[in-house]
Amino acid sequence: MNVLNFDFTSQPIADIKKEVICGVVGSGNLEVLVSPLADSDNGNRSKFIIDTSVTGFDHIWEAVLQDFSSRYAVGGLEFKVNDMGATPAVVSLRLSQAINILEEESHG
């Protein structure tokens, strides 16, 4: 397995205390686990840990995650992604779903 680590600057998300899981680990899919960063002083930072079976696509991961961090307020969150060959579109979809679930659970 290939493990990638990325940190991005992003607008801070509202005070989130819960953890969220979205998606499934399976062929062409991925699982996203979202939790608050342990270091609360980094409210403008988002962290991504990608565990993937695919090698050689680090630059694609970085571009997709940078775009996601720019579109959503995800500062203060850590994303752990368990990937089994998902396409960039599926990655974006799962990350967006995870944020939607997180926001629904924190407001509901």
Side-chain angles (χ1 to χ4, degrees):
M1 295 301 275
N2 188 25
V3 178
L4 308 173
N5 291 283
F6 298 100
D7 290 307
F8 298 103
T9 301
S10 181
Q11 293 294 318
I13 193 164
D15 193 29
I16 300 293
K17 303 284 189 225
K18 294 183 130 190
E19 296 180 345
V20 166
I21 186 170
C22 179
V24 295
V25 179
S27 180
N29 210 332
L30 57 87
E31 172 185 66
V32 177
L33 302 115
V34 185
S35 59
L37 273 172
D39 185 359
S40 61
D41 291 336
N42 287 311
N44 290 338
R45 190 181 112 231
S46 57
K47 180 175 183 172
F48 295 83
I49 303 166
I50 314 301
D51 193 358
T52 181
S53 60
V54 182
T55 59
F57 290 90
D58 302 18
H59 64 288
I60 301 294
W61 277 104
E62 185 173 15
V64 169
L65 298 174
Q66 177 65 63
D67 179 64
F68 172 74
S69 296
S70 297
R71 282 187 293 126
Y72 292 92
V74 294
L77 295 177
E78 177 178 85
F79 295 81
K80 293 181 182 174
V81 178
N82 297 309
D83 173 55
M84 290 298 291
T87 64
V90 172
V91 173
S92 293
L93 173 69
R94 290 287 175 248
L95 290 169
S96 297
Q97 285 177 330
I99 289 301
N100 288 334
I101 292 168
L102 188 66
E103 289 174 342
E104 286 174 9
E105 289 187 3
S106 69
H107 294 101

